[in-house]
Amino acid sequence: MVQLCVNGARGGADGAVVPLSPEAVADSVAAAVAAGATDVHVHPKTPCGRDTLSPRVLAVTLEAIRARVPASVPVGVTTGAWAEPDPASRVARIRSWTVLPDHASVNWHEPGAEETAAALLERGVGVEAGVWSGTDGAARFLRSALGPRVLRVLAEVTDTDPATAPDSARALLSALGPAHGRPVLLHGEDGGTWPVLRLAGRLGLATRIGLEDTLLLPDGSRAASNATLVTTALREFTTPPRDTH
């Protein structure tokens, strides 16, 4: 599985290539799905470009995407604390959603992660357990009674050095151990994106790609779109490593 991470917390300062409005997001998702993405992770945005858990914005964004892609493509959203810092307000937002995503990510190192995950599960929304390297997320997830109920684990490598990110990824996977028996999606960010994606391919793990994680192609040039990133990722993900001996 190659999940599309459409836009993340990026905004207008990252360039016009990053889709922010519901219509732009839907167009970008449709092109990326046509290029081979099989799952979607999106950050719904307010008109001023900020991440939000607003039921109105969520509904408009999800409806725009679902009007453009096959029903077989799951669409998920973020519940990152930056979108709603207060845990109780975050749970209230989730309970007020009028249109539900197929899944939502919960960063396990953030305050209120357990309550956020429980609220999603109560509403029938799949939970992606976001476990970041450099945090206590793995230990907290392994202690969680909700661990066996999540849809998958998003193992996020925050090390952006391309030389060390793969080792950081292996350390994160080691810390996760059996991960409650749940599937693991491994991905990096910025400079670590492509090395970690290749490692995921070698390990037979799911991964993700999109303008949330990187604005650049492997050769360092700017990506023209999410579809371009997906096309490149599928090639990098499945190409055996070159013999350098």
Side-chain angles (χ1 to χ4, degrees):
M1 184 186 86
V2 174
Q3 181 184 74
L4 169 69
C5 51
V6 184
N7 50 9
R10 299 191 190 275
D14 295 297
V17 69
V18 179
L20 302 178
S21 71
E23 295 76 16
V25 166
D27 287 345
S28 187
V29 170
V33 167
T38 55
D39 192 283
V40 177
H41 170 78
V42 64
H43 290 211
K45 306 280 186 180
T46 65
C48 62
R50 297 182 61 184
D51 286 6
T52 181
L53 305 186
S54 158
R56 182 186 63 80
V57 176
L58 199 83
V60 172
T61 303
L62 290 174
E63 288 170 348
I65 294 171
R66 286 172 171 156
R68 298 290 307 278
V69 302
S72 58
V73 177
V75 182
V77 300
T78 184
T79 64
W82 58 87
E84 184 55 73
D86 179 64
S89 297
R90 202 178 315 144
V91 168
R93 285 286 204 180
I94 290 167
R95 289 175 175 161
S96 72
W97 287 349
T98 56
V99 176
L100 296 178
D102 296 291
H103 52 72
S105 62
V106 177
N107 298 319
W108 230 261
H109 66 280
E110 293 177 346
E114 296 275 338
E115 295 81 0
T116 300
L120 291 165
L121 291 169
E122 287 169 6
R123 300 217 62 190
V125 177
V127 172
E128 295 183 305
V131 178
W132 295 16
S133 65
T135 73
D136 64 349
R140 292 179 61 182
F141 176 70
L142 292 177
R143 293 195 300 267
S144 174
L146 297 179
R149 298 177 60 191
V150 306
L151 176 66
R152 68 177 67 92
V153 176
L154 300 181
E156 180 161 337
V157 181
T158 59
D159 180 355
T160 60
D161 185 333
T164 58
D167 287 339
S168 296
R170 291 184 185 277
L172 177 58
L173 294 174
S174 178
L176 278 167
H180 291 293
R182 306 315 301 145
V184 173
L185 183 156
L186 177 66
H187 73 99
E189 59 186 43
D190 293 324
T193 299
W194 295 106
V196 173
L197 181 141
R198 296 183 192 105
L199 176 63
R202 292 196 296 272
L203 296 178
L205 298 175
T207 193
R208 78 177 199 184
I209 194 66
L211 293 166
E212 172 173 353
D213 287 345
T214 184
L215 299 173
L216 304 178
L217 295 170
D219 63 5
S221 63
R222 296 275 294 191
S225 65
N226 274 310
T228 302
L229 286 170
V230 168
T231 299
T232 306
L234 288 170
R235 183 173 63 247
E236 297 282 323
F237 189 61
T238 58
T239 301
R242 291 184 295 272
D243 185 354
T244 58
H245 298 288

